[in-house]
Amino acid sequence: LQQLNTDFYQKLKEQHPNLTSRELKLCALLCIDMETKDIASVFSISPDSVNKNRYRLRKKLQLDKSQDLITYLKSR
C-alpha cells in the first residue's frame, strides 16, 4: 500500500506529523473503501477495535463531528 500511495502518505505526514505508521495504514485502507470487517482481519483485531481506532484517528486529525473521515482522507 505504501508503495502505491507514496503521494498520499507524504501529504498526510506533512499535514499530520503525529500519525503513527499503523494510523497511516488505517487511513489508506479507509481511502480504498475497505469494510470494517476486512480492516479488522488485516490488523488481526476485532471490528469494535477498528471503530475505536477510527474514533481516535478522527481526534488526532481534529475533525468535527460533522466532517466525514473518509471524505477528508480522500481529499488529501
Side-chain angles (χ1 to χ4, degrees), residues 48-63:
D48 285 339
S49 294
V50 173
N51 290 332
K52 287 177 189 173
N53 287 327
R54 188 181 287 144
Y55 173 77
R56 291 181 186 128
L57 181 62
R58 288 178 59 77
K59 286 183 99 173
K60 263 193 172 180
L61 298 176
Q62 299 175 340
L63 297 180

Side-chain angles (χ1 to χ4, degrees), residues 18-35:
N18 59 338
L19 292 178
T20 65
S21 60
R22 188 174 175 106
E23 289 168 335
L24 289 169
K25 188 174 181 179
L26 176 61
C27 290
L29 295 175
L30 290 170
C31 269
I32 60 171
D33 296 322
M34 199 173 226
E35 293 188 22

